[in-house]
Amino acid sequence: KVQVLDVYNYMSLIRAAGRDHDVDRAFEIIKRMRQHKEADAIAYNSVLDVCVKAGALQRAHDLIKEMKQLGLLDVISYNTLLKGYCNTGDSAGARAVCEEMMAAGMPPNDVSYNCMLNIAASAGDFTEASKVIRSMEQSGVKPDRYTVSIMLKLLKKIKGSRDAKKCLEFLDHADVEPCSDEILMNTVLETYMRLKEFQRLGLLLQRFEESSMKPSVPTYGSIIKAYACLKRIDKCWHYWAEMQGQRGLQPNEIVFGCMLDALVSNGQVEEAVKLFNQTKLKPNAVVCSILIKGFSNSQQPQRAMQFWHDMRK
């Protein structure tokens, strides 16, 4: 019998085959494991993942048939195959896999539905995405942060205001707390700012202030941008000070630009100039353009030209 260490070695070889997208090598390894009666569901699913990564869906289907005969199929197997159809944007093939799952007595889970949803979102198909969401609800599968992230991706591609409104309403009622995940919160903030959904933006910022999140430097930049959109320059200053004082974090050029833009956009050009003169950061083209915009908006063209000349020296 193969020793445990040998089994681990085989699994490492399968993962290496996956990195190289070498399907033939992965099948050769699983064949050797079968000979030693050590080919379990985990090993088969790993080879299935190699097929999907390499785009060899026919080989994946052949392996699924073999796993079915051996009684090794599980939800992970089907979800791995679903991922393959997600990679190719084949919604019909993905639906067929889901139907096969249900026929096998394995109802699709959150991973399954998120794969289906991602296909629809990548195609900008709100109608198909709505069908997937309804199926989730009917199956009692709750949306998670990945579901919300996918719907936010779909929002970028939706052209009709009616569909965008429905998508936003889904986000409103999804039982997912955006402030529990920093990346998700940043994405939602950017979405609300882009769509000028200022009421939703204000509610999200309120939830953030009630949360226990400790923002990173980039997130402080997003928060400052969001409060600038709401004309709450006092809050911009608050989080600018908190970042450096209470948290001991140093702003990078992007966050510095966010704070400058917040001031300029709210008519506080002189405060922006004062902050610019105090910084130790090396000015870049974006930062300089923000101040030039401020001078131009405040009817100071000569000052804008002088600043431009000074920066070129």
Side-chain angles (χ1 to χ4, degrees):
K1 187 176 180 179
V2 177
Q3 297 297 317
V4 173
L5 181 60
D6 292 330
V7 174
Y8 288 154
N9 286 339
Y10 277 130
M11 295 302 294
S12 296
L13 289 171
I14 293 173
R15 286 192 292 271
R19 288 192 295 271
D20 296 336
H21 291 186
D22 192 334
V23 177
D24 290 334
R25 198 198 323 164
F27 270 84
E28 181 61 34
I29 295 166
I30 198 71
K31 180 180 177 181
R32 276 187 272 160
M33 292 185 75
R34 278 201 309 270
Q35 292 171 350
H36 292 288
K37 302 186 186 303
E38 289 293 342
D40 57 8
I42 296 174
Y44 268 95
N45 283 334
S46 297
V47 175
L48 191 62
D49 188 57
V50 175
C51 295
V52 167
K53 286 179 178 176
L57 291 185
Q58 187 54 56
R59 298 287 296 274
H61 274 287
D62 293 342
L63 192 62
I64 285 283
K65 290 177 184 177
E66 183 178 331
M67 293 173 71
K68 191 173 184 178
Q69 292 173 351
L70 295 171
L72 296 176
L73 275 180
D74 56 20
V75 174
I76 295 173
S77 311
Y78 282 114
N79 282 342
T80 302
L81 187 58
L82 264 177
K83 186 171 69 173
Y85 286 106
C86 181
N87 292 342
T88 59
D90 186 348
S91 57
R95 280 195 297 272
V97 173
C98 282
E99 289 170 4
E100 189 177 336
M101 287 179 73
M102 289 185 280
M106 300 179 197
N109 60 11
D110 54 340
V111 176
S112 317
Y113 283 116
N114 283 337
C115 280
M116 294 284 292
L117 190 62
N118 194 49
I119 295 173
S122 297
D125 190 342
F126 179 76
T127 302
E128 182 63 28
S130 297
K131 290 179 182 178
V132 176
I133 293 295
R134 281 198 297 272
S135 296
M136 286 184 76
E137 293 171 346
Q138 291 167 2
S139 303
V141 177
K142 291 185 177 182
D144 57 18
R145 68 176 186 271
Y146 298 108
T147 314
V148 172
S149 295
I150 294 167
M151 291 300 282
L152 289 168
K153 180 172 76 172
L154 176 60
L155 253 178
K156 290 183 179 180
K157 299 190 175 187
I158 290 177
K159 296 180 180 178
S161 58
R162 183 178 178 183
D163 288 346
K165 181 181 178 183
K166 288 181 179 178
C167 195
L168 286 168
E169 288 173 352
F170 164 78
L171 296 174
D172 290 340
H173 297 103
D175 189 20
V176 176
E177 175 51 67
C179 300
S180 64
D181 181 273
E182 197 167 357
I183 295 174
L184 180 59
M185 191 187 83
N186 275 309
T187 307
V188 179
L189 281 173
E190 292 294 336
T191 299
Y192 288 162
M193 284 188 277
R194 178 171 52 84
L195 297 176
K196 295 181 170 56
E197 288 288 335
F198 297 135
Q199 184 175 355
R200 286 185 168 95
L201 184 62
L203 290 172
L204 177 58
L205 288 168
Q206 183 179 336
R207 288 165 75 173
F208 157 70
E209 293 196 344
E210 293 169 354
S211 75
S212 58
M213 180 184 288
K214 294 186 181 301
S216 63
V217 170
T219 301
Y220 272 112
S222 295
I223 292 166
I224 289 169
K225 279 174 62 179
Y227 273 119
C229 288
L230 300 179
K231 309 297 181 186
R232 291 295 308 274
I233 200 65
D234 58 318
K235 287 289 188 179
C236 297
W237 278 120
H238 170 79
Y239 286 106
W240 177 256
E242 177 186 284
M243 173 179 57
Q244 298 173 86
Q246 186 176 330
R247 299 289 311 286
L249 302 174
Q250 291 303 310
N252 56 27
E253 292 178 347
I254 295 174
V255 178
F256 179 62
C258 289
M259 187 62 205
L260 275 185
D261 194 60
L263 294 167
V264 166
S265 299
N266 284 276
Q268 297 193 18
V269 179
E270 296 308 319
E271 290 295 324
V273 172
K274 187 185 299 183
L275 184 64
F276 178 84
N277 290 332
Q278 291 172 350
T279 186
K280 296 179 181 178
L281 292 169
K282 184 178 179 180
N284 58 27
V286 174
V287 167
C288 293
S289 67
I290 291 171
L291 281 181
I292 290 172
K293 178 182 72 173
F295 292 138
S296 299
N297 291 345
S298 59
Q299 306 301 312
Q300 301 182 71
Q302 291 183 339
R303 200 172 175 193
M305 288 299 296
Q306 184 60 50
F307 180 78
W308 180 67
H309 285 300
D310 291 343
M311 288 300 103
R312 290 185 67 190
K313 291 178 181 178

